[in-house]
Amino acid sequence: MVNTSVMRISSGVQEKYSAPLNSVITGLCLLTLISLSFALNAAENIAENDTGKTTQETAEKSEDISNSSESETVVPLSPEQQEKILQAMANREQYTQLINQLELEAGADAYRPALSQAYMDLGLTLQTLEQHDEAAEAFDKALQSLRISDGLNSPLQLPMLQELYNSNLANADWEGADVYAHLMYYVARKSFAAGDERRLAALQQMGNWKLKAESENLLSEYSNALGSAIETYEQEIELLQSMPLEGNNLTLATLYLGEAGLKMILAQQIYD
């Protein structure tokens, strides 16, 4: 009797709540399907945006690389230039081996003309390869070797001083260039008489360097003494004027021109 009542009650409950429960389940299923649909659409949109962004970034990077490549385009060397560089590289090895051999053979007598020349040749080769620091070091060793064997004022050192000057210019070492410009004139003045072409050439080079250094503001005020250079020109002119003029007219004219150029720059400094 009790069991029968329970079954009836259970059946009634099922009948009472089954319809609403089914409706709830159906609604949940529909909501799930709608949510999935929105999620899929959102995922597709995100993927499309990411793809578009990636494509745009890739295009921008490619453009940057292209622009960078265009701005950093290296002009290819001509066959003649390539051959020159290859020959210089071979010469560098050859002169390096020669120097090692000469130093080994010379022992205590390491400062010989042959060694000085080998260092000179090595420096010129390094200049061809645009290795100016190493070239200057080689020229300096050639210079020291020559000075020990031939003396501090030997005119034979002028080519080495010239190359040291050139390498310092290439390295934008203006103070170093100034030192060697003065040294070349000093050695030429000690070695050659007034009016000698080699002495005049050294003075002209120093004067031209002073003009360049002053006009481009390359040196400090202390190092770039235009007044001192002008005095040097005046001294050379006085020496030539005390000598017979025959054959010295052109030299005097050249010196006057050099002196005038320096005075003009000095005057601009004063009135600016």
Side-chain angles (χ1 to χ4, degrees), residues 171-191:
N171 276 337
D173 183 351
W174 312 128
E175 300 290 341
D178 190 61
V179 168
Y180 290 113
H182 279 275
L183 272 174
M184 277 186 283
Y185 173 66
Y186 174 81
V187 172
R189 185 166 60 86
K190 289 287 187 180
S191 302

Side-chain angles (χ1 to χ4, degrees), residues 77-140:
L77 296 175
S78 66
E80 293 78 9
Q81 290 173 317
Q82 293 179 18
E83 183 178 355
K84 184 179 181 181
I85 290 175
L86 289 173
Q87 184 60 54
M89 292 174 68
N91 289 344
R92 179 182 59 187
E93 298 303 318
Q94 176 184 345
Y95 292 132
T96 300
Q97 292 177 6
L98 176 61
I99 288 169
N100 291 336
Q101 179 182 349
L102 288 172
E103 288 181 337
L104 184 63
E105 293 175 354
D109 188 24
Y111 301 100
R112 298 188 303 173
L115 182 60
S116 180
Q117 185 60 50
Y119 272 120
M120 184 70 175
D121 292 336
L122 176 61
L124 293 171
T125 298
L126 291 168
Q127 275 185 342
T128 301
L129 296 172
E130 297 185 358
Q131 298 175 357
H132 294 290
D133 286 331
E134 294 84 352
E137 184 178 350
F139 291 134
D140 186 64

Side-chain angles (χ1 to χ4, degrees), residues 22-43:
N22 290 335
S23 298
V24 171
I25 293 171
T26 302
L28 289 173
C29 290
L30 287 173
L31 286 173
T32 301
L33 289 173
I34 292 170
S35 299
L36 285 172
S37 176
F38 278 115
L40 288 172
N41 288 333

Side-chain angles (χ1 to χ4, degrees), residues 18 20 29 43 49 111 158 162 214 244-245 250 259-260:
S18 62
C29 290
N49 291 335
Y111 301 100
L158 285 172
Q162 179 67 59
E214 186 60 33
L245 288 178
L250 181 59
E259 179 192 22

Side-chain angles (χ1 to χ4, degrees), residues 48-247:
E48 289 177 0
N49 291 335
D50 287 345
T51 302
K53 185 177 180 182
T54 303
T55 303
Q56 183 179 0
E57 289 176 348
T58 302
E60 290 175 353
K61 287 179 180 178
S62 298
E63 185 178 356
D64 290 341
I65 292 171
S66 176
N67 292 336
S68 177
S69 298
E70 289 177 2
S71 63
E72 297 177 1
T73 300
V74 178
V75 179
L77 296 175
S78 66
E80 293 78 9
Q81 290 173 317
Q82 293 179 18
E83 183 178 355
K84 184 179 181 181
I85 290 175
L86 289 173
Q87 184 60 54
M89 292 174 68
N91 289 344
R92 179 182 59 187
E93 298 303 318
Q94 176 184 345
Y95 292 132
T96 300
Q97 292 177 6
L98 176 61
I99 288 169
N100 291 336
Q101 179 182 349
L102 288 172
E103 288 181 337
L104 184 63
E105 293 175 354
D109 188 24
Y111 301 100
R112 298 188 303 173
L115 182 60
S116 180
Q117 185 60 50
Y119 272 120
M120 184 70 175
D121 292 336
L122 176 61
L124 293 171
T125 298
L126 291 168
Q127 275 185 342
T128 301
L129 296 172
E130 297 185 358
Q131 298 175 357
H132 294 290
D133 286 331
E134 294 84 352
E137 184 178 350
F139 291 134
D140 186 64
K141 289 181 178 180
L143 180 65
Q144 300 309 319
S145 177
L146 183 71
R147 282 177 169 176
I148 290 174
S149 60
D150 284 59
L152 294 176
N153 298 324
S154 170
L156 295 177
Q157 65 186 296
L158 285 172
M160 299 160 193
L161 292 173
Q162 179 67 59
E163 297 307 331
L164 280 164
Y165 172 77
N166 293 340
S167 285
N168 277 271
L169 283 182
N171 276 337
D173 183 351
W174 312 128
E175 300 290 341
D178 190 61
V179 168
Y180 290 113
H182 279 275
L183 272 174
M184 277 186 283
Y185 173 66
Y186 174 81
V187 172
R189 185 166 60 86
K190 289 287 187 180
S191 302
F192 311 116
D196 189 285
E197 291 182 0
R198 293 162 291 186
R199 178 166 170 162
L200 176 62
L203 178 57
Q204 281 183 298
Q205 179 164 257
M206 186 182 72
N208 291 337
W209 159 246
K210 288 294 185 183
L211 287 172
K212 173 182 172 65
E214 186 60 33
S215 60
E216 299 178 21
N217 196 26
L218 300 179
L219 295 173
S220 65
E221 183 178 354
Y222 175 78
S223 297
N224 194 16
L226 277 180
S228 176
I230 292 171
E231 289 178 5
T232 302
Y233 269 85
E234 291 175 346
Q235 291 170 4
E236 287 292 312
I237 290 170
E238 289 178 5
L239 282 172
L240 281 177
Q241 286 177 336
S242 66
M243 299 169 61
L245 288 178
E246 185 178 355

